[in-house]
Amino acid sequence: MLTRRGFVTTLGAAGLLAAASLASPANAAPSIQSQSFPRTITLPTGFFPEGIAIGGPHAYLSSMANGDVYKLDLRTGKGDVLTPGPGTAAIGVALDTSGRLFVAGGETGDARVIDTASGKVIASYRLGTGTTFVNDFLLTPDAVWVTDSMSQVLYRLPLGPRGELPSQADVAKVPLGGDVVFEEGFNANGIARTPDGKALLIAQTNTGRLYRVDPATGVGTTVDLAGEDLRFADGMLLEGRTLYVVQNFLNTVAVVRLNKTGTKGQILEGRTDPRFDIPTTIARFGDHFYLPNARFGIPSPQTAEFTVVAIPQ
């Protein structure tokens, strides 16, 4: 259901510029067959999804229950575990054009990289220590950026000239500063780029603020949203100058129209759907967005049913 906003109560500058075309897998254009794809997909009992990434007709989902990664065929709604988890939560995921899936480890402070062709873990990184929650990714041609919801830093994993993964020693921490001030609760969450590709956009879940962050310095400035906010912001997706922000506990996808530099934005509307049950992240295939329902707060997630829902773009 599409509703108006008022009714609704997841490097250098030059490298970022090419991010949209080079750093994420191309998803197929709408086809006649896509119109018959299932729009509500049931996941295995107790899977407890959080992140979603899509490459071609396949979606990859992470489990907060045990870190499993599930490969889902969007054409049929069928799937299997691609890679068993380590027994700890998996949060945000991102897929590059080489078929490598980056998986965030949440409060364990780590990240791993999975070869989606084989399901093998090909690299692991220690990112956060102490109080940490490694959350979401942005892929660019020369780096992978990672948010931490509990520690006021970004992690930067530089990539080689042919996309080679870095060593642990090459991982950098970029302190967040300027207008960015962490508060109690969940802070930096979803991450995207600005429409002109020169900076990063980071959503702060607990305050609803959106920041434009200089990738060279980590200095953030608050994006002017004309007095509105994006409270409960989770995963984000940029399409042109339109930023889609999942507001999990509001069961809403905020549609934000940005200026070219990402310094100002207007929340045009909130999109909701009766099937939403605390969605967390968003990815596109063809002419539909797909969102996993995390159902935070249910009594027994180990025995609960979870779904992925598709809504028109």
Side-chain angles (χ1 to χ4, degrees):
M1 179 173 64
L2 189 64
T3 61
R4 288 292 177 188
R5 173 70 180 173
F7 293 101
V8 177
T9 317
T10 184
L11 167 92
L16 276 170
L17 186 59
S21 60
L22 297 179
S24 57
N27 292 321
S31 65
I32 294 175
Q33 289 89 342
S34 74
Q35 304 308 312
S36 62
F37 291 177
R39 296 292 172 247
T40 301
I41 300 171
T42 301
L43 298 174
T45 299
F47 184 79
F48 205 178
E50 207 283 343
I52 185 170
I54 295 178
H58 294 107
Y60 300 88
L61 295 116
S62 58
S63 171
M64 288 182 285
N66 56 12
D68 283 358
V69 172
Y70 190 74
K71 183 177 181 180
L72 174 66
D73 191 326
L74 298 174
R75 297 166 297 187
T76 64
K78 306 297 183 181
D80 290 293
V81 172
L82 174 70
T83 305
T88 55
I91 312 300
V93 294
L95 183 67
D96 72 8
T97 54
S98 298
R100 299 180 303 196
L101 187 75
F102 295 78
V103 183
E107 63 185 4
T108 62
D110 62 359
R112 55 193 163 117
V113 187
I114 295 170
D115 176 7
T116 57
S118 66
K120 293 181 179 179
V121 176
I122 56 176
S124 297
Y125 299 97
R126 167 60 55 192
L127 302 179
T129 57
T131 303
T132 183
F133 195 91
V134 176
N135 200 327
D136 208 354
F137 296 97
L138 171 66
L139 307 184
T140 74
D142 59 1
V144 179
W145 293 89
V146 197
T147 59
D148 191 319
S149 299
M150 294 295 181
S151 181
Q152 197 167 317
V153 298
L154 291 176
Y155 306 105
R156 182 178 184 272
L157 282 62
L159 299 174
R162 294 180 178 83
E164 297 92 341
L165 294 172
S167 68
Q168 176 68 50
D170 291 327
V171 176
K173 288 186 178 181
V174 180
L176 287 169
D179 291 346
V180 182
V181 178
F182 274 26
E183 301 183 8
E184 184 178 356
F186 258 56
N187 290 275
N189 198 329
I191 182 170
R193 65 183 184 97
T194 55
D196 64 4
K198 294 183 178 180
L200 310 172
L201 292 169
I202 295 174
Q204 189 171 8
T205 301
N206 46 8
T207 67
R209 298 187 188 104
L210 183 67
Y211 299 105
R212 182 187 188 276
V213 175
D214 183 337
T217 65
V219 173
T221 55
T222 304
V223 177
D224 181 0
L225 296 177
E228 298 195 75
D229 66 57
L230 295 166
R231 204 169 301 268
F232 300 112
D234 204 325
M236 304 197 300
L237 175 66
L238 182 76
E239 302 255 332
R241 284 174 52 189
T242 303
L243 183 68
Y244 297 90
V245 183
V246 182
Q247 294 175 278
N248 50 33
F249 280 97
L250 297 183
N251 287 314
T252 298
V253 177
V255 182
V256 184
R257 182 66 173 175
L258 298 167
N259 64 0
K260 184 178 179 180
T261 58
T263 58
K264 294 183 179 180
Q266 180 184 4
I267 301 177
L268 300 179
E269 59 192 1
R271 297 190 62 182
T272 187
D273 188 284
R275 297 168 298 160
F276 284 174
D277 196 352
I278 313 184
T280 47
T281 46
I282 182 170
R284 181 179 63 84
F285 174 68
D287 53 0
H288 280 73
F289 294 126
Y290 288 80
L291 300 94
N293 282 315
R295 306 188 68 195
F296 292 138
I298 59 174
S300 301
Q302 302 87 349
T303 57
E305 296 295 330
F306 295 93
T307 58
V308 176
V309 298
I311 62 172
Q313 185 176 358

